[in-house]
Amino acid sequence: MEAQSSHEMVMARKRRREGSNGDTEEGERLGKIPRCTVGLKNPAPFADELEPADNKPYERVTMEEAKKGTPLNRPVRVYADGIFDVFHSGHARALMQAKRLFPNSHLIVGVCSDELTHKYKGFTVMNEDERYDAVRHCRYVDEVVRNAPWTLTPEFLARHRIDFVAHDDIPYISAGSDDVYKHIKEAGMFAPTQRTEGISTSDIITRIVRDYDVYVRRNLQRGYTAKELNVSFINEKKYHLQERVDKVKRKVRDVEEKSKEFVQKVEEKSIDLIQKWEEKSREFIGNFLQMFGPEGALKHMLKEGKGRMLQAISPRQSPDSSPVREERSPSPTFRLPFFSKTSPPPSPPHHSGARAYLISEDDDEEGEDDDN
């Protein structure tokens, strides 16, 4: 019950926002609908299959009483009739409006038979049994009357205990009458609804007739025979030829689209490759200049290596505090093997600058001159 009441609140808000033809007004957005199970499990029953009503006398409710709301055990019985050929959303919206006329309503829908329909309106696409079954599966319908009368009589209204009749208020000219609902309107039992523009059984049939060749080819392709479609042998072959031509055209179109996609992918890849090549080229040039440029790393390495080579091959200069004579570098000293005099071991150098008893080559030459 709680889910049902919340659903009714949402539906009431939706009705307030809807226009006269049931369409939602632009610029307004409906609120979210609570999650609840509102669908029906069984189709609506037929009137001749229901148990007979109680023996209470039939008393209609007034429009004011119906709008205020009636007790749960006394719903307002609303009747809507029609042909309902090729049942579509326009039919469903009309029945929805009839169901929502009053807070507590019971919708009875009358469907005319094939005999009456073909007599007063014309040939139908669906037969009466198909139309009955389509209507009873609409969620807004509570009861279906088969073989409904073309003009409503007081006996029919009393038998089904009808309070109001719902239909669009456009005069319905048929069966030699300017308006078959004229007496209902005069009795105060008429409740007007609005038609849904842009959709009707005649519009649907017009679309099929307009695109006849397309639908014939469609059904031939799906396995229907030319006899079932009432198509001649020549037209059948023509439709098959057109279908083959269209297949070739579709294949050519697919190849063109795929080739365009391939070319586009190649262009994208080539652009990516060129961009990567440019990036790598700039990186390579930068590295080359960094290594071999005027101020590159190689120049600094060569300068550093040259400085090390010059430092390695240049003679070392003696420090100023060296006791060695500056005129010439002393000759290497060595001991004479034939010198008989043993020389004392060299003493450590003193601060007075005394020389050790080491014989140089110059001293040997002076000795030889004295002997001569």
Side-chain angles (χ1 to χ4, degrees), residues 208 210-218 238-239 242:
I208 297 173
R210 182 184 58 199
D211 300 326
Y212 171 78
D213 292 348
V214 176
Y215 291 110
V216 170
R217 290 167 53 187
R218 171 183 177 270
K238 181 186 72 173
Y239 292 138
Q242 289 177 350

Side-chain angles (χ1 to χ4, degrees), residues 29-40:
R29 305 179 71 180
L30 298 178
K32 297 294 183 181
I33 299 175
R35 292 184 179 274
C36 57
T37 303
V38 296
L40 302 177

